Amino acid sequence: MKVIYLFFAISLLQLPIQAQNRKLLTSEEEVQEAVSAEVSDLFSSEKFMKLKNKKFPEVKGYIVYDLSIVGNGKVSTCFKVDSDIKNPLFINFISSYLIDQKFFFKLQKQQRYKVRYRAEFS
């Protein structure tokens, strides 16, 4: 039983260390690829799909966003560029979902990148 507690305690101590080991990205291409991959994973996750299907089951189409990513891996601005979806509640839902996203990378201090992302919803 002590072994289980010891393993659990060591696991808890490792969490802050793992959270701080986010990859530092320095080029615009790296940021574009990382954002595209993580947002694709986010929108295809089971959690997101359940939420979308519960609130907006009838929505289908695409949205093109310009996302500004700042140094700590957060989305600072989210601007809709184009869309064939006309439901403003869904567009606001997706925008706030993206604003709340924190990516698994960081940028250099005072660095900001603008990334264009096209999201397909079916």
Side-chain angles (χ1 to χ4, degrees):
M1 192 67 164
K2 289 182 182 180
V3 173
I4 293 173
Y5 287 129
L6 179 63
F7 178 74
F8 184 70
I10 291 172
S11 297
L12 286 178
L13 292 174
Q14 292 294 320
L15 285 177
I17 294 169
Q18 291 172 352
Q20 293 173 355
N21 288 336
R22 294 182 297 149
K23 187 175 179 181
L24 177 67
L25 302 182
T26 56
S27 74
E28 190 169 352
E29 293 81 25
E30 289 177 322
V31 174
Q32 176 71 42
E33 290 174 13
V35 168
S36 295
E38 288 188 35
V39 173
S40 294
D41 290 345
L42 177 73
F43 287 153
S44 62
S45 71
E46 187 177 332
K47 177 184 171 187
F48 174 79
M49 293 306 291
K50 282 183 182 179
L51 193 57
K52 182 213 172 271
N53 290 335
K54 181 179 178 183
K55 291 185 173 189
F56 305 99
E58 74 288 347
V59 174
K60 293 180 183 359
Y62 73 91
I63 303 174
V64 178
Y65 278 107
D66 278 345
L67 305 172
S68 293
I69 314 298
V70 293
N72 62 356
K74 293 282 291 178
V75 176
S76 64
T77 62
C78 181
F79 178 74
K80 180 189 77 143
V81 176
D82 188 28
S83 176
D84 68 346
I85 298 172
K86 302 301 179 199
N87 186 338
L89 294 175
F90 181 73
I91 292 171
N92 289 339
F93 165 72
I94 295 297
S95 296
S96 64
Y97 206 80
L98 286 170
I99 290 284
D100 293 340
Q101 175 68 13
K102 183 163 186 169
F103 294 105
F104 297 110
F105 61 82
K106 58 185 177 179
L107 306 174
Q108 294 175 345
K109 288 189 175 189
Q110 306 296 320
Q111 194 69 28
R112 173 184 291 249
Y113 287 105
K114 180 178 164 185
V115 176
R116 182 159 287 183
Y117 181 78
R118 178 186 169 112
E120 295 278 340
F121 302 100
S122 54

